[in-house]
Structure formats: C-alpha cells, structure tokens
Amino acid sequence: MPETWYLVAVLATVFAITLALRALPFAALKPLRESELVRTLSVWMPAGILAILAASTLRGTILAGNGDGHGVLLEGAIAVAVTVVVHLAFGRRTLLSVGLGTATFVALVNLS
C-alpha cells in the first residue's frame, strides 16, 4: 500500500496537469479576442461544422440505404427541408429544428 504522502503528491500532480490543460486554451485565446479573424470564425464555424456533419451523415445514410437496397435520398431531402423551414420559421432554435428534422427522417425511413 502506497504511503499517504505519495497518494497526495500523485493527486496534486494530476490536479495541476488537468487544471493547466483546461486553462491553456482560454489563456491562448485571450490575446486573440480582439482579432477580426477569430470574430469571423466564431460566427461561421458553428454553421460550417454543422453543415459538414449533416452532409457526412446524409451521405452515409443515403449510400447505406434503409436495408432493402433502396437509397433514402427522398427521405433525407424532406428531412433537410423540414429542418431548414423549422429553423427559419421558429426563431432559429437549433434544438427544435434539428430535433424535428431528425424525427421526420426517422419517421419517413421507418414508414417507407
């Protein structure tokens, strides 16, 4: 059984490393907060990442089909349309639009 001081030293080291790793990005970002590039990236990156994830998911789903050998292009297109319409019509609520789009896609794939 290790001694108590050894365990305390290990825990203190782990705490210091974890705290440093979590604080480092904020410290590195502080001088960049006034940068126009960082401000532009903060506006466009979330939408870009979401678009890439949606395109990747749709591509994989459409290529995989729904199990009977047929693609799900129409269901995917309808779900994307529902997501866009709900997002624009109901105050750009991402959770609502993504949730309804996903529910539409799942319902259409399971009903067809």
Side-chain angles (χ1 to χ4, degrees), residues 8-98:
V8 170
V10 167
L11 289 175
T13 304
V14 168
F15 174 76
I17 291 172
T18 301
L19 182 67
L21 288 176
R22 293 183 189 262
L24 186 63
F26 294 103
L29 186 62
K30 189 174 182 179
L32 299 173
R33 289 185 195 260
E34 301 302 321
S35 167
E36 184 66 30
L37 175 65
V38 171
R39 222 173 301 144
T40 302
L41 287 175
S42 70
V43 171
W44 290 103
M45 286 271 299
I49 290 171
L50 191 60
I52 290 169
L53 287 173
S56 174
T57 301
L58 282 174
R59 179 182 175 270
T61 304
I62 290 170
L63 291 178
N66 58 0
D68 61 357
H70 300 293
V72 289
L73 180 61
L74 180 63
E75 290 87 351
I78 292 171
V80 168
V82 167
T83 302
V84 170
V85 168
V86 168
H87 189 73
L88 295 177
F90 293 102
R92 299 180 184 264
R93 294 183 181 154
T94 304
L95 189 60
L96 178 65
S97 59
V98 170

Side-chain angles (χ1 to χ4, degrees), residues 94-112:
T94 304
L95 189 60
L96 178 65
S97 59
V98 170
L100 285 178
T102 302
T104 301
F105 182 75
V106 170
L108 290 174
V109 167
N110 287 319
L111 292 176
S112 62

